[in-house]
Amino acid sequence: MKLPSINYLYQQAKNAVLRFPLSLISSLVGVIIGIFLIENEKNIINIFPYLNVILTAALGIPLLFCIEVFAKKFNFNRSKRIIANFSGIVILFLLFLTLPNSEVTANTSMPYIRYTIYNLAVHLLVSFIPFIRTNTTNGFWQYNRVLFIRFITSAIYSGFLYVGIALALVSLNLLFDIKIHDKLYAELFIFIGGFFNTWFFIAGMPQNFDDLEHDTVYPFGLKVFTQYILFPLLALYLVILYGYGIKIVSIWDWPKGVVSYLIVCVAVLGIFNLLLMYPYGKLEGNKWIKTTSRAYYFLLIPLIVMLFIAISMRLSDYGITINRYIIYVLGIWLSLVSLYFVIGKTNIKFIPTSLFVVLVLTSFGPWSMFNVSENSQVTRLKHLLEETKLLENNKIVNEQIIKIDSNYNHLSFTPQNQLLLNDSLKNEIKSILDYLDDHHGFNKIKTWYSQDFDSQIENYNLKKERWSRLNEAEIYMRALGLDYTYYYSNNDYISYSTNNYDAVIDVKGYDYETKVNSYLYNSDVSMKKFTLDSNEYELKHQQKNNCIIVVYKNNQLFSAIDLTALRTNLMSKYGKNQQYNIPTEELTIKDSTTNFNYKIILENIAFNLEKDSIKLSSFNGVILFNIKDVK
């Protein structure tokens, strides 16, 4: 094999610059901003504008590539080419404006999800844009074969280049004591991965895409990879999914939600595999590939039915989310693709083209995944609150007033509506509020509240580090008069924990303080032994006494601390579940006996439900006490 000359490599690199200058400039902008971020990470308070420029530049690489290819495809003159490229830059700028500009923005995830959808759509556009309005199937396959192999090759070259230079820098440091800038390795990775990799990739693009229709290069290695690695894996996954389908039919157990994702992944793997194998079916001795390809789409139909059953059950129970919307739409797309090939169509360009159209159409408008999912979850929340009488005439009933100031995290909240709802309803409300917080924000439910939390939350968060900023879902749930806690379904275990583990303990009026910890597992527990004035004392939790801490003096019963009233109060106020935000004073007992003054301050107390009884299982905290001088 003849190695390419230096002049050839230079010409390829030069042609890449001349053909796709804006794509290279876009990659260079992203690399420069990335290196700037690394160098100044400690001095940059708000990284979002910089991150948004990087993401916009990353999208600009394939988008401006598509525009250039499209312009050449339709022989644009200089003026049209300038207008097309300028339009692409405007689109990128408008997209940049939709991205959040700070971490205190009401919602930061949805714009990036939309960005991801657009990025996927543009990359799909790359796969077929040179063959718009043409029926050159072989040229389309050859072009994508070049893209696929070029992508892998550029990744390998870039990886080896980075490792080689990084090892050289390490060698200079070890052998010659030359100090290497610590951040240079990360900056080198960004430069090679962002700029060199892009340049190398586009330098391998064909000069004339129309000539690819007459290309008969079918790499043997690609055939081996698809036929002997991907294809057996696909068969294995199909057997597993069909086995699962037979199981649910035989025992009439409806499919679980996760099966939807598995079906989509297997279906996409199969389609990708068949796309790679497509031209080999035309070769002599490989007619089985055509037969297998059509059979595969027949085999997909039962799996798609199972997908719709599984995802429909999730939609019925929990409403539409962005993920479920995407899975449902992908199910529709898989149905269209399967039907297309089952009826005898063979144009493989239909696959990326149809998926591109689906992604674009579902990314905007009232029917988009964003609007539909938000409306669905808001409607679910509204119905739940109306059924539980927490919402009437679109206004929260008995709304809890919340003042968000510097003392917010130290305030004690009274969840006044806590006992009106069972645990599953509270969990469902929390789940919806968390989802809205993560993906959409609270614009559509703000009018239900008399309070406007936006400015309070923003002012609070501006003064806080990232990890100590407010959880907006918690604010909106507490304003409902509900505690922001997830209640586990284990009804045999009850626990109550303080919301202030770092509280300062007032020891005034007591002589002694000691920690107490008890974990009772079918045996008596000796928690503490100590000596005072030559007398031996022991604190003991006995199983038969259940909620009583027994105090012994010189092995004789001295006093007892009864926790029964505490248990009754906690269960009456918070129910039989797991609570994690109880004020310290509600886990405090202050009392005295004939011989003993005490104050017990608990951090946690837990009980087990056993048939008709409730048994104390564990607790931990401190006891302050005086021993009376009884005469």
Side-chain angles (χ1 to χ4, degrees), residues 532-539 550-559 595 627-630:
L532 293 174
D533 299 327
S534 301
N535 293 307
E536 298 288 339
Y537 292 89
E538 181 180 14
L539 301 178
V550 183
V551 185
Y552 286 91
K553 176 181 179 181
N554 298 327
N555 295 320
Q556 299 294 320
L557 180 61
F558 182 66
S559 190
N595 307 308
I627 297 176
K628 296 181 180 179
D629 184 15
V630 180

mmCIF file with all atom_site columns, all heavy atoms in Angstrom, residues 532-539 550-559 595 627-630:
data_model
loop_
_atom_site.group_PDB
_atom_site.id
_atom_site.type_symbol
_atom_site.label_atom_id
_atom_site.label_alt_id
_atom_site.label_comp_id
_atom_site.label_asym_id
_atom_site.label_entity_id
_atom_site.label_seq_id
_atom_site.pdbx_PDB_ins_code
_atom_site.Cartn_x
_atom_site.Cartn_y
_atom_site.Cartn_z
_atom_site.occupancy
_atom_site.B_iso_or_equiv
_atom_site.pdbx_formal_charge
_atom_site.auth_seq_id
_atom_site.auth_comp_id
_atom_site.auth_asym_id
_atom_site.auth_atom_id
_atom_site.pdbx_PDB_model_num
ATOM 1   N N   . LEU A 1 532 ? -20.744 7.393  89.082 1.00 0.00 ? 532 LEU A N   1
ATOM 2   C CA  . LEU A 1 532 ? -20.871 8.721  89.680 1.00 0.00 ? 532 LEU A CA  1
ATOM 3   C C   . LEU A 1 532 ? -20.887 8.564  91.201 1.00 0.00 ? 532 LEU A C   1
ATOM 4   O O   . LEU A 1 532 ? -21.709 7.788  91.735 1.00 0.00 ? 532 LEU A O   1
ATOM 5   C CB  . LEU A 1 532 ? -22.164 9.408  89.225 1.00 0.00 ? 532 LEU A CB  1
ATOM 6   C CG  . LEU A 1 532 ? -22.274 9.787  87.744 1.00 0.00 ? 532 LEU A CG  1
ATOM 7   C CD1 . LEU A 1 532 ? -23.668 10.323 87.452 1.00 0.00 ? 532 LEU A CD1 1
ATOM 8   C CD2 . LEU A 1 532 ? -21.220 10.797 87.369 1.00 0.00 ? 532 LEU A CD2 1
ATOM 9   N N   . ASP A 1 533 ? -19.976 9.267  91.882 1.00 0.00 ? 533 ASP A N   1
ATOM 10  C CA  . ASP A 1 533 ? -19.905 9.218  93.356 1.00 0.00 ? 533 ASP A CA  1
ATOM 11  C C   . ASP A 1 533 ? -19.847 7.776  93.872 1.00 0.00 ? 533 ASP A C   1
ATOM 12  O O   . ASP A 1 533 ? -20.589 7.374  94.779 1.00 0.00 ? 533 ASP A O   1
ATOM 13  C CB  . ASP A 1 533 ? -21.115 9.928  93.974 1.00 0.00 ? 533 ASP A CB  1
ATOM 14  C CG  . ASP A 1 533 ? -21.170 11.397 93.589 1.00 0.00 ? 533 ASP A CG  1
ATOM 15  O OD1 . ASP A 1 533 ? -20.091 11.993 93.422 1.00 0.00 ? 533 ASP A OD1 1
ATOM 16  O OD2 . ASP A 1 533 ? -22.286 11.933 93.427 1.00 0.00 ? 533 ASP A OD2 1
ATOM 17  N N   . SER A 1 534 ? -19.022 6.995  93.224 1.00 0.00 ? 534 SER A N   1
ATOM 18  C CA  . SER A 1 534 ? -18.783 5.595  93.613 1.00 0.00 ? 534 SER A CA  1
ATOM 19  C C   . SER A 1 534 ? -19.995 4.691  93.372 1.00 0.00 ? 534 SER A C   1
ATOM 20  O O   . SER A 1 534 ? -20.004 3.534  93.812 1.00 0.00 ? 534 SER A O   1
ATOM 21  C CB  . SER A 1 534 ? -18.373 5.502  95.092 1.00 0.00 ? 534 SER A CB  1
ATOM 22  O OG  . SER A 1 534 ? -17.207 6.245  95.333 1.00 0.00 ? 534 SER A OG  1
ATOM 23  N N   . ASN A 1 535 ? -20.988 5.182  92.685 1.00 0.00 ? 535 ASN A N   1
ATOM 24  C CA  . ASN A 1 535 ? -22.156 4.367  92.366 1.00 0.00 ? 535 ASN A CA  1
ATOM 25  C C   . ASN A 1 535 ? -22.127 3.974  90.889 1.00 0.00 ? 535 ASN A C   1
ATOM 26  O O   . ASN A 1 535 ? -21.779 4.798  90.021 1.00 0.00 ? 535 ASN A O   1
ATOM 27  C CB  . ASN A 1 535 ? -23.452 5.128  92.663 1.00 0.00 ? 535 ASN A CB  1
ATOM 28  C CG  . ASN A 1 535 ? -23.652 5.376  94.138 1.00 0.00 ? 535 ASN A CG  1
ATOM 29  O OD1 . ASN A 1 535 ? -23.606 4.441  94.945 1.00 0.00 ? 535 ASN A OD1 1
ATOM 30  N ND2 . ASN A 1 535 ? -23.855 6.646  94.517 1.00 0.00 ? 535 ASN A ND2 1
ATOM 31  N N   . GLU A 1 536 ? -22.479 2.737  90.596 1.00 0.00 ? 536 GLU A N   1
ATOM 32  C CA  . GLU A 1 536 ? -22.515 2.238  89.220 1.00 0.00 ? 536 GLU A CA  1
ATOM 33  C C   . GLU A 1 536 ? -23.914 2.439  88.643 1.00 0.00 ? 536 GLU A C   1
ATOM 34  O O   . GLU A 1 536 ? -24.911 1.976  89.219 1.00 0.00 ? 536 GLU A O   1
ATOM 35  C CB  . GLU A 1 536 ? -22.164 0.749  89.199 1.00 0.00 ? 536 GLU A CB  1
ATOM 36  C CG  . GLU A 1 536 ? -20.767 0.415  89.709 1.00 0.00 ? 536 GLU A CG  1
ATOM 37  C CD  . GLU A 1 536 ? -19.681 0.840  88.723 1.00 0.00 ? 536 GLU A CD  1
ATOM 38  O OE1 . GLU A 1 536 ? -20.023 1.006  87.521 1.00 0.00 ? 536 GLU A OE1 1
ATOM 39  O OE2 . GLU A 1 536 ? -18.520 1.003  89.129 1.00 0.00 ? 536 GLU A OE2 1
ATOM 40  N N   . TYR A 1 537 ? -23.955 3.141  87.475 1.00 0.00 ? 537 TYR A N   1
ATOM 41  C CA  . TYR A 1 537 ? -25.230 3.374  86.806 1.00 0.00 ? 537 TYR A CA  1
ATOM 42  C C   . TYR A 1 537 ? -25.223 2.698  85.435 1.00 0.00 ? 537 TYR A C   1
ATOM 43  O O   . TYR A 1 537 ? -24.172 2.537  84.799 1.00 0.00 ? 537 TYR A O   1
ATOM 44  C CB  . TYR A 1 537 ? -25.479 4.870  86.614 1.00 0.00 ? 537 TYR A CB  1
ATOM 45  C CG  . TYR A 1 537 ? -25.720 5.618  87.908 1.00 0.00 ? 537 TYR A CG  1
ATOM 46  C CD1 . TYR A 1 537 ? -24.654 6.156  88.629 1.00 0.00 ? 537 TYR A CD1 1
ATOM 47  C CD2 . TYR A 1 537 ? -27.012 5.767  88.415 1.00 0.00 ? 537 TYR A CD2 1
ATOM 48  C CE1 . TYR A 1 537 ? -24.855 6.832  89.812 1.00 0.00 ? 537 TYR A CE1 1
ATOM 49  C CE2 . TYR A 1 537 ? -27.234 6.453  89.597 1.00 0.00 ? 537 TYR A CE2 1
ATOM 50  C CZ  . TYR A 1 537 ? -26.155 6.980  90.304 1.00 0.00 ? 537 TYR A CZ  1
ATOM 51  O OH  . TYR A 1 537 ? -26.375 7.640  91.487 1.00 0.00 ? 537 TYR A OH  1
ATOM 52  N N   . GLU A 1 538 ? -26.407 2.333  84.984 1.00 0.00 ? 538 GLU A N   1
ATOM 53  C CA  . GLU A 1 538 ? -26.547 1.725  83.657 1.00 0.00 ? 538 GLU A CA  1
ATOM 54  C C   . GLU A 1 538 ? -27.873 2.157  83.034 1.00 0.00 ? 538 GLU A C   1
ATOM 55  O O   . GLU A 1 538 ? -28.922 2.146  83.687 1.00 0.00 ? 538 GLU A O   1
ATOM 56  C CB  . GLU A 1 538 ? -26.508 0.199  83.756 1.00 0.00 ? 538 GLU A CB  1
ATOM 57  C CG  . GLU A 1 538 ? -26.623 -0.480 82.382 1.00 0.00 ? 538 GLU A CG  1
ATOM 58  C CD  . GLU A 1 538 ? -26.586 -2.001 82.485 1.00 0.00 ? 538 GLU A CD  1
ATOM 59  O OE1 . GLU A 1 538 ? -26.737 -2.530 83.606 1.00 0.00 ? 538 GLU A OE1 1
ATOM 60  O OE2 . GLU A 1 538 ? -26.409 -2.645 81.431 1.00 0.00 ? 538 GLU A OE2 1
ATOM 61  N N   . LEU A 1 539 ? -27.792 2.571  81.762 1.00 0.00 ? 539 LEU A N   1
ATOM 62  C CA  . LEU A 1 539 ? -28.994 2.866  80.981 1.00 0.00 ? 539 LEU A CA  1
ATOM 63  C C   . LEU A 1 539 ? -29.261 1.668  80.089 1.00 0.00 ? 539 LEU A C   1
ATOM 64  O O   . LEU A 1 539 ? -28.391 1.244  79.327 1.00 0.00 ? 539 LEU A O   1
ATOM 65  C CB  . LEU A 1 539 ? -28.793 4.125  80.127 1.00 0.00 ? 539 LEU A CB  1
ATOM 66  C CG  . LEU A 1 539 ? -28.455 5.415  80.879 1.00 0.00 ? 539 LEU A CG  1
ATOM 67  C CD1 . LEU A 1 539 ? -28.240 6.558  79.893 1.00 0.00 ? 539 LEU A CD1 1
ATOM 68  C CD2 . LEU A 1 539 ? -29.549 5.754  81.861 1.00 0.00 ? 539 LEU A CD2 1
ATOM 69  N N   . VAL A 1 550 ? -34.686 2.050  80.985 1.00 0.00 ? 550 VAL A N   1
ATOM 70  C CA  . VAL A 1 550 ? -34.580 1.754  82.413 1.00 0.00 ? 550 VAL A CA  1
ATOM 71  C C   . VAL A 1 550 ? -33.216 2.200  82.932 1.00 0.00 ? 550 VAL A C   1
ATOM 72  O O   . VAL A 1 550 ? -32.192 1.958  82.296 1.00 0.00 ? 550 VAL A O   1
ATOM 73  C CB  . VAL A 1 550 ? -34.776 0.249  82.672 1.00 0.00 ? 550 VAL A CB  1
ATOM 74  C CG1 . VAL A 1 550 ? -34.731 -0.037 84.176 1.00 0.00 ? 550 VAL A CG1 1
ATOM 75  C CG2 . VAL A 1 550 ? -36.113 -0.210 82.089 1.00 0.00 ? 550 VAL A CG2 1
ATOM 76  N N   . VAL A 1 551 ? -33.220 2.889  84.079 1.00 0.00 ? 551 VAL A N   1
ATOM 77  C CA  . VAL A 1 551 ? -31.994 3.348  84.714 1.00 0.00 ? 551 VAL A CA  1
ATOM 78  C C   . VAL A 1 551 ? -31.729 2.481  85.960 1.00 0.00 ? 551 VAL A C   1
ATOM 79  O O   . VAL A 1 551 ? -32.606 2.373  86.838 1.00 0.00 ? 551 VAL A O   1
ATOM 80  C CB  . VAL A 1 551 ? -32.093 4.828  85.124 1.00 0.00 ? 551 VAL A CB  1
ATOM 81  C CG1 . VAL A 1 551 ? -30.762 5.323  85.682 1.00 0.00 ? 551 VAL A CG1 1
ATOM 82  C CG2 . VAL A 1 551 ? -32.533 5.683  83.928 1.00 0.00 ? 551 VAL A CG2 1
ATOM 83  N N   . TYR A 1 552 ? -30.562 1.864  86.000 1.00 0.00 ? 552 TYR A N   1
ATOM 84  C CA  . TYR A 1 552 ? -30.175 1.041  87.148 1.00 0.00 ? 552 TYR A CA  1
ATOM 85  C C   . TYR A 1 552 ? -29.079 1.743  87.942 1.00 0.00 ? 552 TYR A C   1
ATOM 86  O O   . TYR A 1 552 ? -28.210 2.409  87.371 1.00 0.00 ? 552 TYR A O   1
ATOM 87  C CB  . TYR A 1 552 ? -29.654 -0.321 86.677 1.00 0.00 ? 552 TYR A CB  1
ATOM 88  C CG  . TYR A 1 552 ? -30.739 -1.254 86.196 1.00 0.00 ? 552 TYR A CG  1
ATOM 89  C CD1 . TYR A 1 552 ? -31.116 -1.287 84.857 1.00 0.00 ? 552 TYR A CD1 1
ATOM 90  C CD2 . TYR A 1 552 ? -31.389 -2.094 87.093 1.00 0.00 ? 552 TYR A CD2 1
ATOM 91  C CE1 . TYR A 1 552 ? -32.099 -2.135 84.410 1.00 0.00 ? 552 TYR A CE1 1
ATOM 92  C CE2 . TYR A 1 552 ? -32.381 -2.963 86.668 1.00 0.00 ? 552 TYR A CE2 1
ATOM 93  C CZ  . TYR A 1 552 ? -32.732 -2.982 85.320 1.00 0.00 ? 552 TYR A CZ  1
ATOM 94  O OH  . TYR A 1 552 ? -33.728 -3.825 84.887 1.00 0.00 ? 552 TYR A OH  1
ATOM 95  N N   . LYS A 1 553 ? -29.143 1.566  89.278 1.00 0.00 ? 553 LYS A N   1
ATOM 96  C CA  . LYS A 1 553 ? -28.093 2.058  90.168 1.00 0.00 ? 553 LYS A CA  1
ATOM 97  C C   . LYS A 1 553 ? -27.643 0.882  91.034 1.00 0.00 ? 553 LYS A C   1
ATOM 98  O O   . LYS A 1 553 ? -28.444 0.307  91.782 1.00 0.00 ? 553 LYS A O   1
ATOM 99  C CB  . LYS A 1 553 ? -28.613 3.200  91.045 1.00 0.00 ? 553 LYS A CB  1
ATOM 100 C CG  . LYS A 1 553 ? -27.610 3.709  92.068 1.00 0.00 ? 553 LYS A CG  1
ATOM 101 C CD  . LYS A 1 553 ? -28.229 4.818  92.911 1.00 0.00 ? 553 LYS A CD  1
ATOM 102 C CE  . LYS A 1 553 ? -27.252 5.321  93.964 1.00 0.00 ? 553 LYS A CE  1
ATOM 103 N NZ  . LYS A 1 553 ? -27.865 6.383  94.814 1.00 0.00 ? 553 LYS A NZ  1
ATOM 104 N N   . ASN A 1 554 ? -26.352 0.552  90.869 1.00 0.00 ? 554 ASN A N   1
ATOM 105 C CA  . ASN A 1 554 ? -25.798 -0.590 91.602 1.00 0.00 ? 554 ASN A CA  1
ATOM 106 C C   . ASN A 1 554 ? -26.662 -1.842 91.397 1.00 0.00 ? 554 ASN A C   1
ATOM 107 O O   . ASN A 1 554 ? -27.003 -2.569 92.345 1.00 0.00 ? 554 ASN A O   1
ATOM 108 C CB  . ASN A 1 554 ? -25.689 -0.270 93.096 1.00 0.00 ? 554 ASN A CB  1
ATOM 109 C CG  . ASN A 1 554 ? -24.749 0.898  93.354 1.00 0.00 ? 554 ASN A CG  1
ATOM 110 O OD1 . ASN A 1 554 ? -23.764 1.067  92.630 1.00 0.00 ? 554 ASN A OD1 1
ATOM 111 N ND2 . ASN A 1 554 ? -25.053 1.694  94.363 1.00 0.00 ? 554 ASN A ND2 1
ATOM 112 N N   . ASN A 1 555 ? -27.039 -2.055 90.088 1.00 0.00 ? 555 ASN A N   1
ATOM 113 C CA  . ASN A 1 555 ? -27.815 -3.227 89.668 1.00 0.00 ? 555 ASN A CA  1
ATOM 114 C C   . ASN A 1 555 ? -29.230 -3.265 90.242 1.00 0.00 ? 555 ASN A C   1
ATOM 115 O O   . ASN A 1 555 ? -29.894 -4.302 90.203 1.00 0.00 ? 555 ASN A O   1
ATOM 116 C CB  . ASN A 1 555 ? -27.084 -4.528 90.023 1.00 0.00 ? 555 ASN A CB  1
ATOM 117 C CG  . ASN A 1 555 ? -25.791 -4.672 89.254 1.00 0.00 ? 555 ASN A CG  1
ATOM 118 O OD1 . ASN A 1 555 ? -25.726 -4.339 88.069 1.00 0.00 ? 555 ASN A OD1 1
ATOM 119 N ND2 . ASN A 1 555 ? -24.751 -5.164 89.924 1.00 0.00 ? 555 ASN A ND2 1
ATOM 120 N N   . GLN A 1 556 ? -29.684 -2.142 90.770 1.00 0.00 ? 556 GLN A N   1
ATOM 121 C CA  . GLN A 1 556 ? -31.039 -2.056 91.290 1.00 0.00 ? 556 GLN A CA  1
ATOM 122 C C   . GLN A 1 556 ? -31.818 -1.024 90.466 1.00 0.00 ? 556 GLN A C   1
ATOM 123 O O   . GLN A 1 556 ? -31.269 -0.021 90.015 1.00 0.00 ? 556 GLN A O   1
ATOM 124 C CB  . GLN A 1 556 ? -31.027 -1.623 92.765 1.00 0.00 ? 556 GLN A CB  1
ATOM 125 C CG  . GLN A 1 556 ? -30.305 -2.581 93.695 1.00 0.00 ? 556 GLN A CG  1
ATOM 126 C CD  . GLN A 1 556 ? -31.001 -3.922 93.797 1.00 0.00 ? 556 GLN A CD  1
ATOM 127 O OE1 . GLN A 1 556 ? -32.235 -3.989 93.854 1.00 0.00 ? 556 GLN A OE1 1
ATOM 128 N NE2 . GLN A 1 556 ? -30.223 -5.004 93.802 1.00 0.00 ? 556 GLN A NE2 1
ATOM 129 N N   . LEU A 1 557 ? -33.117 -1.319 90.259 1.00 0.00 ? 557 LEU A N   1
ATOM 130 C CA  . LEU A 1 557 ? -33.953 -0.392 89.503 1.00 0.00 ? 557 LEU A CA  1
ATOM 131 C C   . LEU A 1 557 ? -33.948 0.978  90.182 1.00 0.00 ? 557 LEU A C   1
ATOM 132 O O   . LEU A 1 557 ? -34.260 1.101  91.359 1.00 0.00 ? 557 LEU A O   1
ATOM 133 C CB  . LEU A 1 557 ? -35.391 -0.918 89.422 1.00 0.00 ? 557 LEU A CB  1
ATOM 134 C CG  . LEU A 1 557 ? -36.373 -0.031 88.656 1.00 0.00 ? 557 LEU A CG  1
ATOM 135 C CD1 . LEU A 1 557 ? -35.947 0.141  87.208 1.00 0.00 ? 557 LEU A CD1 1
ATOM 136 C CD2 . LEU A 1 557 ? -37.786 -0.610 88.735 1.00 0.00 ? 557 LEU A CD2 1
ATOM 137 N N   . PHE A 1 558 ? -33.587 2.003  89.407 1.00 0.00 ? 558 PHE A N   1
ATOM 138 C CA  . PHE A 1 558 ? -33.433 3.346  89.973 1.00 0.00 ? 558 PHE A CA  1
ATOM 139 C C   . PHE A 1 558 ? -34.496 4.304  89.427 1.00 0.00 ? 558 PHE A C   1
ATOM 140 O O   . PHE A 1 558 ? -35.103 5.066  90.156 1.00 0.00 ? 558 PHE A O   1
ATOM 141 C CB  . PHE A 1 558 ? -32.028 3.857  89.655 1.00 0.00 ? 558 PHE A CB  1
ATOM 142 C CG  . PHE A 1 558 ? -31.721 5.207  90.214 1.00 0.00 ? 558 PHE A CG  1
ATOM 143 C CD1 . PHE A 1 558 ? -31.645 5.414  91.597 1.00 0.00 ? 558 PHE A CD1 1
ATOM 144 C CD2 . PHE A 1 558 ? -31.508 6.291  89.381 1.00 0.00 ? 558 PHE A CD2 1
ATOM 145 C CE1 . PHE A 1 558 ? -31.360 6.669  92.112 1.00 0.00 ? 558 PHE A CE1 1
ATOM 146 C CE2 . PHE A 1 558 ? -31.215 7.540  89.883 1.00 0.00 ? 558 PHE A CE2 1
ATOM 147 C CZ  . PHE A 1 558 ? -31.130 7.735  91.255 1.00 0.00 ? 558 PHE A CZ  1
ATOM 148 N N   . SER A 1 559 ? -34.727 4.259  88.113 1.00 0.00 ? 559 SER A N   1
ATOM 149 C CA  . SER A 1 559 ? -35.703 5.162  87.497 1.00 0.00 ? 559 SER A CA  1
ATOM 150 C C   . SER A 1 559 ? -36.031 4.646  86.096 1.00 0.00 ? 559 SER A C   1
ATOM 151 O O   . SER A 1 559 ? -35.469 3.635  85.646 1.00 0.00 ? 559 SER A O   1
ATOM 152 C CB  . SER A 1 559 ? -35.154 6.584  87.434 1.00 0.00 ? 559 SER A CB  1
ATOM 153 O OG  . SER A 1 559 ? -36.177 7.487  87.066 1.00 0.00 ? 559 SER A OG  1
ATOM 154 N N   . ASN A 1 595 ? -36.202 10.054 91.632 1.00 0.00 ? 595 ASN A N   1
ATOM 155 C CA  . ASN A 1 595 ? -34.755 10.081 91.796 1.00 0.00 ? 595 ASN A CA  1
ATOM 156 C C   . ASN A 1 595 ? -34.007 10.794 90.684 1.00 0.00 ? 595 ASN A C   1
ATOM 157 O O   . ASN A 1 595 ? -32.781 10.931 90.762 1.00 0.00 ? 595 ASN A O   1
ATOM 158 C CB  . ASN A 1 595 ? -34.216 8.635  91.885 1.00 0.00 ? 595 ASN A CB  1
ATOM 159 C CG  . ASN A 1 595 ? -34.927 7.816  92.937 1.00 0.00 ? 595 ASN A CG  1
ATOM 160 O OD1 . ASN A 1 595 ? -35.027 8.245  94.073 1.00 0.00 ? 595 ASN A OD1 1
ATOM 161 N ND2 . ASN A 1 595 ? -35.420 6.653  92.557 1.00 0.00 ? 595 ASN A ND2 1
ATOM 162 N N   . ILE A 1 627 ? -29.135 13.740 89.211 1.00 0.00 ? 627 ILE A N   1
ATOM 163 C CA  . ILE A 1 627 ? -29.532 12.699 90.152 1.00 0.00 ? 627 ILE A CA  1
ATOM 164 C C   . ILE A 1 627 ? -29.894 13.371 91.462 1.00 0.00 ? 627 ILE A C   1
ATOM 165 O O   . ILE A 1 627 ? -29.069 14.072 92.063 1.00 0.00 ? 627 ILE A O   1
ATOM 166 C CB  . ILE A 1 627 ? -28.405 11.673 90.354 1.00 0.00 ? 627 ILE A CB  1
ATOM 167 C CG1 . ILE A 1 627 ? -28.128 10.967 89.016 1.00 0.00 ? 627 ILE A CG1 1
ATOM 168 C CG2 . ILE A 1 627 ? -28.779 10.661 91.425 1.00 0.00 ? 627 ILE A CG2 1
ATOM 169 C CD1 . ILE A 1 627 ? -26.977 10.006 89.059 1.00 0.00 ? 627 ILE A CD1 1
ATOM 170 N N   . LYS A 1 628 ? -31.139 13.188 91.885 1.00 0.00 ? 628 LYS A N   1
ATOM 171 C CA  . LYS A 1 628 ? -31.625 13.851 93.091 1.00 0.00 ? 628 LYS A CA  1
ATOM 172 C C   . LYS A 1 628 ? -31.019 13.210 94.349 1.00 0.00 ? 628 LYS A C   1
ATOM 173 O O   . LYS A 1 628 ? -30.807 11.997 94.402 1.00 0.00 ? 628 LYS A O   1
ATOM 174 C CB  . LYS A 1 628 ? -33.148 13.758 93.167 1.00 0.00 ? 628 LYS A CB  1
ATOM 175 C CG  . LYS A 1 628 ? -33.875 14.486 92.040 1.00 0.00 ? 628 LYS A CG  1
ATOM 176 C CD  . LYS A 1 628 ? -35.373 14.346 92.222 1.00 0.00 ? 628 LYS A CD  1
ATOM 177 C CE  . LYS A 1 628 ? -36.120 15.058 91.109 1.00 0.00 ? 628 LYS A CE  1
ATOM 178 N NZ  . LYS A 1 628 ? -37.594 14.909 91.266 1.00 0.00 ? 628 LYS A NZ  1
ATOM 179 N N   . ASP A 1 629 ? -30.801 14.034 95.298 1.00 0.00 ? 629 ASP A N   1
ATOM 180 C CA  . ASP A 1 629 ? -30.298 13.557 96.588 1.00 0.00 ? 629 ASP A CA  1
ATOM 181 C C   . ASP A 1 629 ? -31.515 13.291 97.474 1.00 0.00 ? 629 ASP A C   1
ATOM 182 O O   . ASP A 1 629 ? -31.996 14.153 98.216 1.00 0.00 ? 629 ASP A O   1
ATOM 183 C CB  . ASP A 1 629 ? -29.380 14.604 97.218 1.00 0.00 ? 629 ASP A CB  1
ATOM 184 C CG  . ASP A 1 629 ? -28.763 14.103 98.520 1.00 0.00 ? 629 ASP A CG  1
ATOM 185 O OD1 . ASP A 1 629 ? -28.830 12.874 98.763 1.00 0.00 ? 629 ASP A OD1 1
ATOM 186 O OD2 . ASP A 1 629 ? -28.238 14.946 99.263 1.00 0.00 ? 629 ASP A OD2 1
ATOM 187 N N   . VAL A 1 630 ? -32.055 12.076 97.363 1.00 0.00 ? 630 VAL A N   1
ATOM 188 C CA  . VAL A 1 630 ? -33.274 11.717 98.081 1.00 0.00 ? 630 VAL A CA  1
ATOM 189 C C   . VAL A 1 630 ? -32.919 11.222 99.474 1.00 0.00 ? 630 VAL A C   1
ATOM 190 O O   . VAL A 1 630 ? -32.090 10.321 99.649 1.00 0.00 ? 630 VAL A O   1
ATOM 191 C CB  . VAL A 1 630 ? -34.054 10.621 97.326 1.00 0.00 ? 630 VAL A CB  1
ATOM 192 C CG1 . VAL A 1 630 ? -35.314 10.250 98.089 1.00 0.00 ? 630 VAL A CG1 1
ATOM 193 C CG2 . VAL A 1 630 ? -34.390 11.102 95.936 1.00 0.00 ? 630 VAL A CG2 1
#
